[in-house]
Amino acid sequence: MRREEAFRGISKRLAVHYLENLGGELVAGEREDNAEADVAGEDWTATLSAEKVSVAGSMTLTEVSVVFEGGEDTVAELVEKFTQKAMRAGG
């Protein structure tokens, strides 16, 4: 299964950290926002990228895109746990 999600208000560095806390390991790329990164866990992988997006006039936010891949149940559970962590970061 492949699922792509976008998260605003967190850095790619923090997103990688969350995935590591969920059992993943940075296997390629960098934690910095200007480069892609691949994190792999048991039965799943996540590819992360980040870009600045305009939200209102000249105001911008970092948007981290994550492509989750793996078994259907594994990806569903991973996305749910990751989303909970990412939502707490902004609030």
Side-chain angles (χ1 to χ4, degrees), residues 9-49:
I10 66 170
S11 67
K12 193 169 114 262
R13 175 183 294 276
L14 189 55
V16 169
H17 177 72
Y18 289 158
L19 289 167
E20 289 173 329
N21 283 342
L22 292 170
E25 180 180 336
L26 181 65
V27 294
E30 299 178 18
R31 297 174 192 276
E32 303 308 316
D33 284 344
N34 60 350
E36 279 197 1
D38 293 323
V39 178
E42 188 174 326
D43 300 325
W44 60 268
T45 61
T47 301
L48 299 90
S49 60

Side-chain angles (χ1 to χ4, degrees), residues 7-10 33 50-56 58-64:
F7 302 90
R8 291 185 176 177
I10 66 170
D33 284 344
E51 65 179 331
K52 295 285 186 186
V53 295
S54 179
V55 291
S58 62
M59 189 174 0
T60 61
L61 283 175
T62 299
E63 181 175 273
V64 176

